Amino acid sequence: MKTLRALLRTLLIVAGLSGLAACSVAPPEGVVPVTGFEADRYLGRWYEIARLDHSFERGMTDVHATYRRLENGGIEVVNRGYDPARQAWKEAVGHALFLGDPGTASLKVSFFGPFYGGYHVVELDRDAYRWALVAGPSRDYLWILARERSIDDDVRDRLTARAKALGFDTAALIWVDQRQSAEPAQ
Protein backbone atom coordinates (compact mmCIF):
# COMPACT_ATOMS: atom_id res chain seq x y z
CA MET A 1 0.00 0.00 0.00
CA LYS A 2 2.92 2.37 0.74
CA THR A 3 4.31 1.71 -2.74
CA LEU A 4 0.99 2.62 -4.34
CA ARG A 5 0.75 5.80 -2.30
CA ALA A 6 4.32 6.78 -3.18
CA LEU A 7 3.62 6.15 -6.86
CA LEU A 8 0.34 8.06 -6.76
CA ARG A 9 2.00 10.93 -4.90
CA THR A 10 4.75 11.20 -7.54
CA LEU A 11 2.26 10.97 -10.41
CA LEU A 12 -0.04 13.54 -8.88
CA ILE A 13 2.83 15.94 -8.25
CA VAL A 14 3.93 15.66 -11.87
CA ALA A 15 0.33 15.86 -13.08
CA GLY A 16 -0.36 18.71 -10.69
CA LEU A 17 2.61 20.72 -11.89
CA SER A 18 1.60 20.06 -15.47
CA GLY A 19 -1.97 20.97 -14.53
CA LEU A 20 -0.83 24.23 -12.98
CA ALA A 21 0.83 25.12 -16.25
CA ALA A 22 -2.28 24.17 -18.19
CA CYS A 23 -4.73 25.24 -15.44
CA SER A 24 -7.03 22.38 -16.33
CA VAL A 25 -9.27 20.25 -14.19
CA ALA A 26 -12.03 21.16 -16.61
CA PRO A 27 -13.38 18.51 -18.98
CA PRO A 28 -11.83 18.18 -22.44
CA GLU A 29 -13.19 20.48 -25.11
CA GLY A 30 -16.57 19.29 -26.34
CA VAL A 31 -17.15 17.03 -23.33
CA VAL A 32 -20.06 18.32 -21.25
CA PRO A 33 -20.82 17.04 -17.72
CA VAL A 34 -24.38 16.05 -16.94
CA THR A 35 -26.64 18.56 -15.25
CA GLY A 36 -29.42 17.84 -12.81
CA PHE A 37 -26.83 15.76 -10.94
CA GLU A 38 -27.79 14.56 -7.45
CA ALA A 39 -24.59 13.91 -5.49
CA ASP A 40 -26.35 12.08 -2.67
CA ARG A 41 -27.69 9.52 -5.16
CA TYR A 42 -24.18 9.06 -6.55
CA LEU A 43 -22.68 8.23 -3.14
CA GLY A 44 -21.79 4.63 -2.31
CA ARG A 45 -19.87 1.96 -4.19
CA TRP A 46 -19.20 1.95 -7.92
CA TYR A 47 -17.39 -0.86 -9.75
CA GLU A 48 -14.97 -0.05 -12.53
CA ILE A 49 -16.25 -1.83 -15.62
CA ALA A 50 -13.74 -0.35 -18.07
CA ARG A 51 -10.97 2.24 -18.17
CA LEU A 52 -8.34 3.71 -20.39
CA ASP A 53 -4.91 2.55 -19.28
CA HIS A 54 -2.94 4.73 -16.90
CA SER A 55 -0.07 3.95 -14.58
CA PHE A 56 -1.85 4.31 -11.23
CA GLU A 57 -4.25 1.42 -11.96
CA ARG A 58 -2.16 -0.58 -14.41
CA GLY A 59 -2.68 -4.33 -14.06
CA MET A 60 -5.26 -3.98 -11.31
CA THR A 61 -8.45 -6.02 -11.20
CA ASP A 62 -11.58 -5.69 -9.10
CA VAL A 63 -11.27 -1.93 -8.94
CA HIS A 64 -14.03 0.00 -7.25
CA ALA A 65 -14.59 3.39 -5.71
CA THR A 66 -16.67 4.33 -2.71
CA TYR A 67 -17.95 7.88 -2.34
CA ARG A 68 -19.07 9.35 1.00
CA ARG A 69 -20.24 12.86 1.88
CA LEU A 70 -17.87 14.86 4.09
CA GLU A 71 -18.99 17.38 6.71
CA ASN A 72 -17.46 20.23 4.68
CA GLY A 73 -19.70 19.41 1.70
CA GLY A 74 -16.96 17.65 -0.21
CA ILE A 75 -16.89 13.97 -1.05
CA GLU A 76 -14.46 11.36 0.25
CA VAL A 77 -13.18 9.03 -2.47
CA VAL A 78 -11.81 5.60 -1.56
CA ASN A 79 -10.37 3.72 -4.55
CA ARG A 80 -9.51 0.04 -4.07
CA GLY A 81 -8.23 -2.59 -6.42
CA TYR A 82 -6.50 -5.93 -6.45
CA ASP A 83 -2.94 -6.30 -7.74
CA PRO A 84 -2.68 -9.91 -8.97
CA ALA A 85 1.11 -9.67 -9.39
CA ARG A 86 1.54 -8.86 -5.69
CA GLN A 87 -1.57 -10.75 -4.60
CA ALA A 88 -2.59 -7.76 -2.50
CA TRP A 89 -5.32 -5.14 -2.28
CA LYS A 90 -4.32 -1.50 -2.76
CA GLU A 91 -6.20 1.55 -1.61
CA ALA A 92 -5.99 5.31 -2.14
CA VAL A 93 -8.12 7.81 -0.22
CA GLY A 94 -8.83 11.28 -1.52
CA HIS A 95 -11.46 14.00 -1.61
CA ALA A 96 -13.49 15.69 -4.31
CA LEU A 97 -14.98 19.16 -4.57
CA PHE A 98 -17.45 20.50 -7.10
CA LEU A 99 -15.99 22.91 -9.64
CA GLY A 100 -19.13 25.00 -9.46
CA ASP A 101 -22.81 24.23 -9.19
CA PRO A 102 -23.29 20.86 -7.39
CA GLY A 103 -26.07 20.14 -9.89
CA THR A 104 -23.39 19.79 -12.57
CA ALA A 105 -21.35 16.58 -12.32
CA SER A 106 -17.97 18.26 -12.63
CA LEU A 107 -15.54 17.85 -9.76
CA LYS A 108 -11.87 18.06 -8.96
CA VAL A 109 -10.33 15.15 -7.05
CA SER A 110 -7.14 15.06 -4.98
CA PHE A 111 -5.38 12.14 -3.40
CA PHE A 112 -2.34 14.18 -2.29
CA GLY A 113 -2.17 17.77 -1.17
CA PRO A 114 -3.19 20.63 -3.39
CA PHE A 115 -2.93 18.69 -6.65
CA TYR A 116 -6.24 17.93 -8.37
CA GLY A 117 -7.47 16.07 -11.41
CA GLY A 118 -10.78 16.49 -13.16
CA TYR A 119 -13.70 14.08 -12.64
CA HIS A 120 -16.64 14.66 -14.96
CA VAL A 121 -19.71 12.45 -15.25
CA VAL A 122 -20.70 12.77 -18.91
CA GLU A 123 -23.37 10.07 -19.14
CA LEU A 124 -25.52 8.74 -16.31
CA ASP A 125 -28.43 6.42 -15.67
CA ARG A 126 -30.69 9.18 -14.39
CA ASP A 127 -33.44 6.82 -13.25
CA ALA A 128 -31.52 4.66 -10.81
CA TYR A 129 -27.89 5.86 -10.93
CA ARG A 130 -26.81 2.31 -11.93
CA TRP A 131 -24.08 3.27 -14.43
CA ALA A 132 -21.96 6.25 -15.39
CA LEU A 133 -19.42 7.34 -17.98
CA VAL A 134 -16.70 9.47 -16.37
CA ALA A 135 -14.03 11.55 -18.10
CA GLY A 136 -10.90 13.14 -16.70
CA PRO A 137 -9.39 16.48 -17.74
CA SER A 138 -8.19 15.04 -21.07
CA ARG A 139 -9.19 12.29 -23.46
CA ASP A 140 -6.51 10.09 -21.87
CA TYR A 141 -8.79 9.37 -18.88
CA LEU A 142 -12.10 7.57 -19.14
CA TRP A 143 -14.03 5.15 -16.94
CA ILE A 144 -17.24 3.17 -17.23
CA LEU A 145 -18.64 2.60 -13.74
CA ALA A 146 -21.60 0.61 -12.46
CA ARG A 147 -23.27 -0.31 -9.19
CA GLU A 148 -22.90 -4.00 -10.05
CA ARG A 149 -19.77 -5.90 -11.12
CA SER A 150 -21.05 -6.09 -14.70
CA ILE A 151 -23.40 -4.28 -17.06
CA ASP A 152 -25.77 -5.43 -19.78
CA ASP A 153 -24.35 -5.55 -23.30
CA ASP A 154 -26.75 -2.84 -24.50
CA VAL A 155 -25.53 -0.43 -21.79
CA ARG A 156 -21.92 -1.33 -22.56
CA ASP A 157 -22.50 -0.66 -26.26
CA ARG A 158 -24.33 2.62 -25.55
CA LEU A 159 -21.59 3.96 -23.27
CA THR A 160 -18.81 2.85 -25.61
CA ALA A 161 -20.56 4.54 -28.56
CA ARG A 162 -21.02 7.73 -26.52
CA ALA A 163 -17.34 7.75 -25.52
CA LYS A 164 -16.29 7.22 -29.13
CA ALA A 165 -18.56 10.07 -30.27
CA LEU A 166 -16.83 12.29 -27.68
CA GLY A 167 -13.43 11.49 -29.19
CA PHE A 168 -12.12 8.87 -26.74
CA ASP A 169 -10.10 5.90 -28.01
CA THR A 170 -12.61 3.19 -27.15
CA ALA A 171 -10.52 0.50 -28.86
CA ALA A 172 -8.01 1.01 -26.02
CA LEU A 173 -10.54 0.41 -23.23
CA ILE A 174 -9.51 -2.19 -20.66
CA TRP A 175 -12.47 -4.28 -19.49
CA VAL A 176 -11.82 -4.85 -15.80
CA ASP A 177 -11.98 -8.32 -14.28
CA GLN A 178 -14.37 -8.12 -11.33
CA ARG A 179 -14.20 -11.72 -10.08
CA GLN A 180 -12.01 -11.44 -6.98
CA SER A 181 -14.11 -12.54 -4.04
CA ALA A 182 -11.72 -12.38 -1.11
CA GLU A 183 -11.78 -8.64 -0.52
CA PRO A 184 -10.89 -7.68 3.04
CA ALA A 185 -13.31 -5.50 4.99
CA GLN A 186 -12.85 -1.77 4.60
Side-chain angles (χ1 to χ4, degrees), residues 25-38 42 98-108 118-124 126 129 132-137 139 162 166 168:
V25 292
E29 185 175 335
V31 175
V32 179
V34 299
T35 57
F37 182 70
E38 298 175 52
Y42 198 80
F98 284 94
L99 291 179
D101 174 16
T104 299
S106 189
L107 300 96
K108 60 182 184 177
Y119 182 101
H120 313 283
V121 180
V122 298
E123 193 74 20
L124 179 65
R126 293 185 184 262
Y129 280 57
L133 181 65
V134 179
R139 285 184 172 79
R162 176 75 172 127
L166 290 170
F168 290 90

Side-chain angles (χ1 to χ4, degrees), residues 1-143:
M1 186 155 17
K2 288 181 182 179
T3 304
L4 176 64
R5 286 187 177 147
L7 175 62
L8 284 172
R9 181 176 291 124
T10 301
L11 289 171
L12 287 172
I13 288 171
V14 170
L17 292 175
S18 299
L20 287 175
C23 294
S24 180
V25 292
E29 185 175 335
V31 175
V32 179
V34 299
T35 57
F37 182 70
E38 298 175 52
D40 288 335
R41 291 183 66 198
Y42 198 80
L43 300 177
R45 179 172 287 191
W46 288 84
Y47 292 94
E48 186 178 273
I49 304 301
R51 67 172 177 263
L52 288 178
D53 190 30
H54 46 79
S55 59
F56 50 92
E57 284 186 291
R58 187 161 293 141
M60 293 179 76
T61 66
D62 304 280
V63 179
H64 60 272
T66 303
Y67 304 98
R68 179 178 70 84
R69 178 74 73 179
L70 295 171
E71 288 183 19
N72 69 1
I75 296 172
E76 178 186 62
V77 181
V78 179
N79 287 339
R80 296 186 70 156
Y82 187 73
D83 181 343
R86 293 201 167 102
Q87 296 185 352
W89 287 93
K90 295 183 176 183
E91 178 177 286
V93 179
H95 67 277
L97 302 169
F98 284 94
L99 291 179
D101 174 16
T104 299
S106 189
L107 300 96
K108 60 182 184 177
V109 180
S110 176
F111 289 93
F112 300 101
F115 304 107
Y116 287 87
Y119 182 101
H120 313 283
V121 180
V122 298
E123 193 74 20
L124 179 65
D125 168 23
R126 293 185 184 262
D127 292 331
Y129 280 57
R130 293 172 301 179
W131 47 259
L133 181 65
V134 179
S138 75
R139 285 184 172 79
D140 294 328
Y141 299 94
L142 182 74
W143 296 267

